[in-house]
Amino acid sequence: MGIFSRKNDTVDTAVATLPVDPALAALTGDYTIDPAHSSIGFTVRHAMVTNVRGTFGEHEGTLKLDGSNPGASTASIDVKIASVDTGIGDRDGHLRSGDFFDAEQFPLMTFRSTEAAQLGGDKYRVTGDLTIKDVTKALSIDLEFNGTATDPYGNERIGFEGSAEILRSDWGLTWNAALETGGVVVSDKVKLNFDISAIKNAA
């Protein structure tokens, strides 16, 4: 079921949009991301030999799905940097400090979509502006649509999961330390992970 304008898998140019499916049209509306059932996190290589995983416990966002013109669908997410959690308090404090996110001066990480496209099947790509600290750069997030459901409280839900890779240095996150055996403590490459459940707003 497509919810965005269709693109093929190998060429990043738009092709003809398929006729609107009635099931697609039924998804049209505004949605609010449910933070209690969503996760925004990251994975980064530590000391060249293992991965550290973390999440941001506080975030909010909205989706606007347009079944008649799927390419006009949009997404907006705000993440509270101070909510970073890797399971180690000292490490989380370092991440909040000026060496990394400087959460006191730059409390939010934001994403504002500029384009949405179907890659094939239930796979999609959302492109937009990611702002960390005072740097804004384009980011493309590959997503899989997990479907729709009505929960026990009567809420209409949709779900997505996906990921993107960035170089943290592109957003000014450059702190590092050299290892005696060669290499560095923290990889420049970071994988961002998204698992989103959103509730359709009442008409």
Side-chain angles (χ1 to χ4, degrees):
M1 182 190 304
I3 62 169
F4 302 111
S5 56
R6 181 178 293 275
K7 294 188 178 184
N8 67 29
D9 288 320
T10 58
V11 181
D12 193 31
T13 56
V15 297
T17 301
L18 295 178
V20 175
D21 186 315
L24 168 64
L27 298 180
T28 296
D30 296 326
Y31 293 76
T32 299
I33 293 175
D34 176 9
H37 296 95
S38 300
S39 175
I40 296 175
F42 59 90
T43 305
V44 62
R45 182 76 73 179
H46 177 261
M48 312 295 290
V49 298
T50 190
N51 289 318
V52 168
R53 294 173 174 82
T55 60
F56 294 95
E58 297 182 41
H59 52 82
E60 60 184 22
T62 59
L63 308 175
K64 180 183 285 291
L65 303 186
D66 188 335
S68 300
N69 182 18
S73 299
T74 61
S76 175
I77 300 174
D78 292 342
V79 177
K80 187 174 180 180
I81 292 297
S83 70
V84 65
D85 182 5
T86 65
I88 303 294
D90 288 346
R91 181 167 57 205
D92 297 342
H94 193 196
L95 289 173
R96 297 183 189 108
S97 76
D99 283 346
F100 286 95
F101 289 110
D102 196 356
E104 184 173 348
Q105 184 174 358
F106 304 103
L108 293 179
M109 173 173 61
T110 66
F111 178 78
R112 302 289 185 266
S113 69
T114 57
E115 182 182 358
Q118 185 177 17
L119 302 179
D122 286 335
K123 297 184 183 301
Y124 306 89
R125 179 169 293 152
V126 177
T127 299
D129 295 325
L130 175 67
T131 300
I132 302 175
K133 299 175 77 169
D134 56 352
V135 178
T136 300
K137 289 185 174 292
L139 173 71
S140 292
I141 304 170
D142 288 340
L143 296 166
E144 183 171 355
F145 179 51
N146 288 339
T148 65
T150 301
D151 69 22
Y153 304 100
N155 297 312
E156 296 181 53
R157 291 180 178 268
I158 57 171
F160 298 89
E161 61 181 312
S163 62
E165 286 191 350
I166 66 170
L167 297 179
R168 61 188 179 89
S169 59
D170 287 345
W171 279 266
L173 304 177
T174 57
W175 183 91
N176 228 321
L179 298 170
E180 291 184 5
T181 53
V184 292
V185 171
V186 185
S187 171
D188 191 23
K189 183 185 294 185
V190 180
K191 183 178 181 181
L192 303 177
N193 307 300
F194 304 88
D195 199 342
I196 301 298
S197 177
I199 296 172
K200 192 171 188 179
N201 298 345

